[in-house]
Amino acid sequence: MKFKKSFIYLFAAVFLFAGVGESFAKTLKASHQWPGTKRKDGKFDVRHEMVQIIADEMKKANVGVDIRIYPAKSLYKPKEQWKPMTTGQLDISAFPLAYAAKFHPEFDITLMPGMVKNHKHALRVNNSPMMKTIKKIINDAGVVVLSDAWLAGGFVSKKNCITNPESVKGQVFRAAGKAFNQMLEGAGAGIQGMPSSEIYNGLQTGVLDGANTSSGSFVSYRIYEQVKCATPPGKYGLWFMYEPILMSKKSFDSLTSKQQKALMKAGKVAEKYMTKEAAGLDTTMEKAYKKAGVKLSYMTKADFDAWLAIAKKTSYKNFADKVPGGQKLIDQALAVK
């Protein structure tokens, strides 16, 4: 009788523990480098917003997954997020893929001068054979893509307006990836490597004369406070960067099928938001810089072609020569009309 009673108590305790366990949500850590606070225009940086949308959608799905966001490089430094994702130490990141090119040089194709022509073209590139190859490399490295995102960008300078290659000569620039560094060096500029979160300080301290980054970062980091002239993407945008929301495959595989489906669905909601917002980021940049009294300049087709000619001799050539399958990736990207 005593044994039977003990067994009943034990069974009840196990059942209760299982029920309590299910009521506690699994918490995922999401990291990124952008501010997690509202800007002067009352909006958040779009990449933070994308991660927040995924977190909100998972809460609504009620599948036992909470996402805790660590913005403003508060958990990891920008370029140090890739490795922890591959090992499962970091669950989710809004991550500029070219930052991981030291591990996978193929990723530099996602920040190649003139490769993506405009926001509509970026959507077509998402479905290209080139991106299928890139996503296979991402997946094989132990990372999953939750949301695609391409951001346009431009130039800023403390000295003069940047239009044609001549206009960067003798200046020290920050560009986000190897391909832009090579093109700028080919035009006679010096290079200082750093994430976009450090551009403001680089300009303020005189380490930089100018910079390339996305329209979103130009506003979120208030870079308009440090420069005289800005070149927004305009009609001839030279700078487009793939900045997806990524997740550790190890973390993803640890979820139930129901949780995985909810997460992929949330990623699509965030991607849809980004697709809608992308072109508006360029307009927001123009308004913010005008308001701050910064002069705006725009590239002509002749300027764009002059940059592209230098890029083909430097960035494109180096990528084709040194990256396994590099020429094939270039050909696949250029084939997207």
Side-chain angles (χ1 to χ4, degrees):
M1 187 72 179
K2 233 180 207 182
F3 176 77
K4 197 181 270 187
K5 216 179 241 187
S6 298
F7 180 78
I8 291 166
Y9 289 150
L10 181 65
F11 181 79
V14 169
F15 182 77
L16 182 65
F17 181 77
V20 169
E22 283 176 8
S23 71
F24 284 98
K26 185 182 180 76
T27 301
L28 302 176
K29 292 175 292 194
S31 163
H32 67 73
Q33 72 192 67
W34 296 280
T37 51
K38 286 182 179 178
R39 304 180 308 217
K40 283 184 179 178
D41 62 2
K43 294 183 178 180
F44 290 98
D45 184 280
V46 285
R47 290 148 295 193
H48 174 77
E49 195 65 61
M50 285 181 79
V51 181
Q52 188 63 60
I53 286 168
I54 292 172
D56 293 344
E57 289 295 313
M58 290 306 286
K59 199 166 277 187
K60 278 193 266 178
N62 195 25
V63 290
V65 175
D66 279 342
I67 296 174
R68 186 174 178 187
I69 305 169
Y70 295 83
K73 54 183 180 181
S74 56
L75 189 62
Y76 287 98
K77 289 180 180 178
K79 294 190 176 184
E80 291 175 5
Q81 296 172 104
W82 176 258
K83 265 298 179 193
M85 272 192 289
T86 64
T87 59
Q89 291 168 288
L90 174 60
D91 302 306
I92 295 170
S93 178
F95 186 74
L97 193 66
Y99 282 9
K102 69 175 180 178
F103 301 108
H104 304 280
E106 296 93 341
F107 291 168
D108 273 325
I109 194 81
T110 63
L111 182 58
M112 189 67 71
M115 191 69 79
V116 175
K117 309 293 187 292
N118 52 53
H119 294 286
K120 286 182 179 177
H121 187 236
L123 298 180
R124 295 194 293 276
V125 170
N126 279 338
N127 299 312
S128 68
M130 181 271 280
M131 283 306 292
K132 281 187 176 66
T133 302
I134 293 300
K135 286 183 179 179
K136 186 180 185 307
I137 296 167
I138 293 171
N139 195 70
D140 289 348
V143 179
V144 177
V145 177
L146 297 182
S147 312
D148 287 322
W150 287 89
L151 278 81
F155 292 82
V156 291
S157 174
K158 291 164 66 175
K159 294 188 172 181
N160 58 280
C161 293
I162 307 302
T163 50
N164 57 40
E166 286 286 320
S167 59
V168 301
K169 273 190 177 173
Q171 294 191 57
V172 178
F173 266 78
R174 176 270 182 190
K178 191 183 284 184
F180 265 82
N181 288 345
Q182 290 166 348
M183 181 191 73
L184 284 164
E185 282 179 318
I191 298 296
Q192 275 286 346
M194 62 184 75
S196 55
S197 53
E198 294 173 21
I199 292 174
Y200 187 101
N201 190 53
L203 290 164
Q204 190 178 44
T205 57
V207 170
L208 295 176
D209 298 309
N212 277 128
T213 194
S214 67
S215 299
S217 292
F218 274 135
V219 178
S220 292
Y221 292 127
R222 307 188 322 277
I223 292 167
Y224 46 76
E225 294 176 359
Q226 295 296 327
V227 297
K228 287 183 179 177
C229 189
T231 310
K235 194 177 176 183
Y236 299 100
L238 193 68
W239 195 102
F240 266 86
M241 188 176 197
Y242 183 57
E243 302 187 23
I245 309 297
L246 301 176
M247 183 172 184
S248 165
K249 198 169 186 295
K250 200 171 182 180
S251 303
F252 186 80
D253 289 344
S254 73
L255 303 178
T256 66
S257 175
K258 192 177 179 183
Q259 290 169 335
Q260 288 176 348
K261 282 176 186 172
L263 201 48
M264 294 308 287
K265 189 178 176 185
K268 287 299 168 192
V269 175
E271 186 178 308
K272 194 175 178 183
Y273 159 81
M274 183 62 199
T275 300
K276 188 181 172 187
E277 292 290 313
L281 296 175
D282 304 338
T283 308
T284 299
M285 176 193 169
E286 290 170 339
K287 286 177 181 173
Y289 278 68
K290 271 183 189 174
K291 191 177 177 182
V294 176
K295 188 178 177 184
L296 297 182
S297 65
Y298 295 87
M299 284 189 193
T300 63
K301 188 172 186 308
D303 294 331
F304 179 87
D305 289 343
W307 279 111
L308 206 55
I310 291 174
K312 284 178 178 175
K313 290 176 186 172
T314 55
S315 321
Y316 283 54
K317 187 178 186 305
N318 275 294
F319 189 83
D321 290 347
K322 295 178 181 176
V323 177
Q327 187 59 57
K328 187 179 179 182
L329 284 169
I330 289 172
D331 293 342
Q332 287 175 339
L334 293 176
V336 181
K337 301 302 179 191

